[in-house]
Amino acid sequence: MDILDGLNSKQKAAAVHTDGPLLIVAGAGAGKTKTLAHRMVHIIKEGTAPQNLLAITFTNKAAKEMRERVEALLDASGIVRGPEKYFEKPFVSTFHSLGVHILRENGKHINISKHFTILSQSETLSATKEAIKQSELDPKQFEPRKIHNIISKQKNELVTLADFSGNAGENYFHKIVAEVWEKYDKMLTDRKALDFDDLIQKTVQLLQDKEDIRKIYQNRWKYIHIDEYQDTNKAQYKLTHLLVDDHKNICVVGDTDQNIFSWRGANIQNMLNFERDYPDATTILLEQNYRSTQTILNVANQIIKKNKVRVDKNLFTKNKEGERIVLFDAFDEGDEARFVAHESKTLIENGVEPKNIAVLYRANFQSRVLEEALLNQNIPYQVLGVKFFDRKEVKDVLSYIQAALNPDSLYDIKRVINVPTRGIGKVTLARIFAKKEDELTPKMRERVNEFRAILSDIQKKSKTTKTSDLIKFVLKRSGIEEMLQNSTDEDQERLENLRELASLATKYDILPLQEGIEKLLSDAALATDQDSLEKNQNAVKLMTVHAAKGLEFPYVFITGLEQDLFPHHKFGEVLSKEAGEEERRLFYVAITRAEKKLYLTLTSMRTIFGSKQTNTPSEFLADIDEKYIEPAREEGVDVNPSPSGKVVYFDI
């Protein structure tokens, strides 16, 4: 098998350019994952050991797809065979998973426990709230989310607490943040816990401070690939540079037109400055799209060309011209939702599977009325974001294991000490956390000791038992299985979810003992909204445009195309030039999710925060040539031209 078979000329050029810095500017649907996978296997075929390659992505879904493609190519080519095959392959992960891997291996050099706990978003906010109270402040006056967002931004910019405190000056609020930050960090240190931002920031600290550790990874990963480079923040950018040795064998892939995460620190300049950072870099443009019709691409090209901060390119395809874009101007959000449901039902009746339809919106509040309309039409739907690992019973079992491995993880202890009920109240918990167990009554001390005995048994079992069997052991030893048996239908469903967890855990059984369970705990903590689609329910998908990044569907509805909603900005604020360009990129991302047919909808009136607002069409609609637009029509219904002259509306 020729590894380069099936690549177009530009993809092939990228695949064979193995040594030195390479920038691949890949338009939406241009086959970047395929190109990277073939490039990595080509490097292996040329004589580099598979484990000397590293590929970093932004989502678990993208990492999984990349890993599967590379492994399939390796199998098909016969390059890697034998019982050691699992360990002889490239390291493919997200940035955060990479940080976890490095810190579990060598975090001890900066006093990080091998069994550190990764805080969830809710646990992070809870810890911030606790730190605010420790600072003798009122969480109602100083909102935990706002304060933590500032701390998170500083960590992602690699600003230390000392630097932030030193620059606070006379700024009262910054002094408050610094005080809370100090208590928050101490709390995490005492509990051997890290938040999401620490996973990158601490890894950077480790590699910066410990040259010998840095050399280990530079020597291990001789070829480094970074996906979605336009979305890297400062900490991720720095981590990348620390891993690239003198050989500078770095390949980055990205698209400036899909930079939509500046609000969480993504810096488009990282990609625009790549050729400055690496003067010997080669740049290759991938412009041939394999996903969408030419009509959809023509609209996308028209929309994005108005942006100034971008690498210029023009998407094209050898796919058919395709149908025109359907544009529907509704009276209000109810009318809009009924149209989406009606069109979805028609598509389904004509043989389209529900899972091939996606409904996108700019803001989460838009989903409610859309869900109601789909329910009324008996159309199955799935809202992106209901994660398997977020289910209470799943988190309980994993917390038992995490508490057994890390006895200082008070978050996990607090979660499960009364699951099943043991009669241990808040006062007892407070004394446990304050290390004042000698003040407990003998009966209460006995209950606490019984709980500790369970954790001890789980900890011992983790050293001798593979991951899936450990899950089964925890179900029984904790009492959760007995609690859920012979109970309500809801409890039976929870028990089925836990059995599914044991089944899922079998894929970690191939790893060495304890390493498998640590990987499961890390994967669970780092699960994203897109992971809720793994089971691929045959249902219409509802999600924000941000959540749709990296996904594709044959039929796509983009709703709420009204000025101030999409492009979106806060009431009373003027949209900056930078924010305006990002909103345009977001619309471009939404358009390029569609493969066969695209629907655009807007309303003349929408209820927001209880008040009805009269809307004007989004400025983006004026940028679309009318020849690509098909006004929405319904047989037997009067169609009236809208004020814009370009769209129509009707009642269903």
Side-chain angles (χ1 to χ4, degrees), residues 148-337:
H148 189 266
N149 284 345
I150 295 172
I151 295 172
S152 174
K153 183 177 180 180
Q154 298 305 313
K155 287 185 177 182
N156 285 325
E157 288 291 316
L158 297 178
V159 175
T160 66
L161 172 58
D163 290 338
F164 184 80
S165 299
N167 293 328
E170 297 304 313
N171 188 306
Y172 173 73
F173 185 67
H174 281 193
K175 287 182 176 179
I176 293 294
V177 172
E179 183 179 353
V180 173
W181 185 353
E182 182 178 13
K183 288 180 169 54
Y184 171 82
D185 270 4
K186 184 180 185 307
M187 194 185 309
L188 266 59
T189 299
D190 291 344
R191 298 174 185 181
K192 295 184 174 65
L194 300 178
D195 63 26
F196 270 37
D197 304 311
D198 290 331
L199 298 178
I200 308 297
Q201 189 264 332
K202 298 291 187 185
T203 305
V204 169
Q205 179 189 337
L206 172 67
L207 298 180
Q208 275 185 323
D209 295 351
K210 307 295 180 182
E211 183 180 2
D212 55 335
I213 303 300
R214 183 169 71 247
K215 287 295 182 184
I216 289 173
Y217 294 106
Q218 289 176 342
N219 292 330
R220 179 183 301 178
W221 294 315
K222 301 181 185 302
Y223 290 89
I224 294 177
H225 304 74
I226 313 293
D227 192 14
E228 304 287 9
Y229 196 64
Q230 80 282 347
D231 288 335
T232 52
N233 59 31
K234 184 172 181 178
Q236 292 158 343
Y237 171 85
K238 184 66 177 178
L239 174 58
T240 300
H241 279 253
L242 287 168
L243 291 173
V244 177
D245 201 359
D246 293 337
H247 53 64
K248 299 292 188 289
N249 290 330
I250 178 172
C251 169
V252 303
V253 184
D255 181 5
T256 52
D257 293 337
Q258 296 188 70
N259 171 258
I260 59 172
F261 294 111
S262 65
W263 48 275
R264 68 182 189 198
N267 188 351
I268 195 173
Q269 294 300 323
N270 291 345
M271 184 167 176
L272 294 174
N273 293 336
F274 185 81
E275 290 164 316
R276 182 203 66 186
D277 293 339
Y278 301 95
D280 297 330
T282 297
T283 300
I284 296 175
L285 267 64
L286 302 184
E287 298 174 288
Q288 182 175 347
N289 177 284
Y290 292 87
R291 175 189 301 160
S292 308
T293 65
Q294 189 61 55
T295 296
I296 291 171
L297 296 182
N298 288 340
V299 171
N301 287 331
Q302 282 189 335
I303 289 297
I304 203 62
K305 70 180 181 182
K306 279 201 166 185
N307 273 6
K308 303 299 181 185
V309 182
R310 62 188 294 259
V311 177
D312 188 38
K313 63 183 182 309
N314 197 63
L315 294 180
F316 70 93
T317 186
K318 292 183 179 179
N319 295 339
K320 60 184 181 181
E321 195 70 21
E323 299 180 53
R324 289 189 293 168
I325 310 301
V326 174
L327 186 55
F328 177 60
D329 188 350
F331 172 69
D332 60 14
E333 66 269 24
D335 194 21
E336 176 186 51

Side-chain angles (χ1 to χ4, degrees), residues 426-445:
K426 291 183 178 179
V427 174
T428 301
L429 269 175
R431 286 174 178 164
I432 292 172
F433 293 170
K435 301 188 185 302
K436 296 180 179 178
E437 291 184 39
D438 56 320
E439 297 179 8
L440 298 177
T441 65
K443 185 176 181 180
M444 193 59 68
R445 197 175 302 142

Side-chain angles (χ1 to χ4, degrees), residues 1-8 11-12 34 38 73:
M1 171 189 175
D2 187 343
I3 296 301
L4 303 179
D5 282 349
L7 301 180
N8 65 38
Q11 291 172 332
K12 191 174 294 185
K34 179 179 182 178
H38 282 260
L73 284 171

Side-chain angles (χ1 to χ4, degrees), residues 430-582:
R431 286 174 178 164
I432 292 172
F433 293 170
K435 301 188 185 302
K436 296 180 179 178
E437 291 184 39
D438 56 320
E439 297 179 8
L440 298 177
T441 65
K443 185 176 181 180
M444 193 59 68
R445 197 175 302 142
E446 182 181 348
R447 292 175 183 173
V448 172
N449 288 338
E450 287 173 358
F451 172 70
R452 287 237 168 84
I454 294 173
L455 297 185
S456 177
D457 288 349
I458 294 171
Q459 196 271 339
K460 291 173 185 174
K461 199 75 172 175
S462 70
K463 295 179 179 179
T464 60
T465 307
K466 59 186 181 182
T467 307
S468 59
D469 286 341
L470 182 64
I471 298 293
K472 296 172 187 175
F473 176 79
V474 173
L475 285 180
K476 291 185 180 299
R477 184 67 180 90
S478 66
I480 290 177
E481 186 174 58
E482 184 180 353
M483 177 183 72
L484 296 177
Q485 281 177 334
N486 304 317
S487 192
T488 64
D489 289 342
E490 185 178 349
D491 284 341
Q492 283 299 312
E493 184 179 341
R494 288 175 177 169
L495 190 55
E496 288 173 7
N497 287 332
L498 292 176
R499 287 168 179 158
E500 173 66 18
L501 175 63
S503 298
L504 181 151
T506 58
K507 74 176 186 178
Y508 298 89
D509 288 347
I510 192 172
L511 292 168
L513 296 180
Q514 278 209 321
E515 188 178 323
I517 192 61
E518 287 167 357
K519 184 74 167 65
L520 172 60
L521 292 172
S522 298
D523 287 351
L526 301 177
T528 65
D529 286 350
Q530 286 193 1
D531 296 325
S532 65
L533 295 180
E534 281 300 300
K535 288 191 176 181
N536 203 15
Q537 299 175 22
N538 193 15
V540 174
K541 312 302 182 190
L542 275 67
M543 66 193 81
T544 64
V545 181
H546 280 101
K549 175 79 181 296
L551 303 177
E552 56 190 56
F553 302 90
Y555 301 89
V556 172
F557 293 83
I558 306 175
T559 62
L561 280 163
E562 300 125 37
Q563 200 66 14
D564 296 347
L565 180 55
F566 202 180
H568 185 79
H569 63 86
K570 295 178 181 178
F571 179 75
E573 291 185 3
V574 177
L575 203 63
S576 69
K577 182 180 177 181
E578 292 77 16
E581 289 214 350
E582 179 145 338

Side-chain angles (χ1 to χ4, degrees), residues 94-155:
T94 63
F95 268 105
H96 289 95
S97 293
L98 175 66
V100 171
H101 177 81
I102 292 174
L103 292 174
R104 292 221 191 272
E105 279 193 338
N106 285 293
K108 61 186 178 184
H109 296 285
I110 53 172
N111 299 316
I112 293 177
S113 167
K114 178 181 175 65
H115 300 301
F116 62 81
T117 297
I118 303 171
L119 297 192
S120 67
Q121 187 64 31
S122 60
E123 289 167 341
T124 296
L125 290 176
S126 176
T128 307
K129 184 177 181 180
E130 192 174 339
I132 291 171
K133 289 180 177 178
Q134 287 181 11
S135 301
E136 298 183 349
L137 299 168
D138 184 357
K140 293 180 180 179
Q141 182 181 0
F142 298 95
E143 187 184 351
R145 187 179 300 276
K146 182 177 180 181
I147 288 184
H148 189 266
N149 284 345
I150 295 172
I151 295 172
S152 174
K153 183 177 180 180
Q154 298 305 313
K155 287 185 177 182

Side-chain angles (χ1 to χ4, degrees), residues 44-99:
I44 294 169
K45 189 177 181 182
E46 291 294 298
T48 300
Q51 55 268 36
N52 290 147
L53 274 70
L54 170 68
I56 309 175
T57 70
F58 270 83
T59 67
N60 296 327
K61 180 180 181 297
K64 182 174 182 287
E65 183 181 354
M66 175 77 71
R67 197 177 297 116
E68 289 174 348
R69 288 204 187 200
V70 170
E71 290 174 15
L73 284 171
L74 289 173
D75 284 342
S77 65
I79 295 173
V80 179
R81 294 288 182 188
E84 297 301 315
K85 185 177 79 168
Y86 182 87
F87 302 99
E88 292 182 357
K89 56 188 182 184
F91 191 97
V92 183
S93 81
T94 63
F95 268 105
H96 289 95
S97 293
L98 175 66

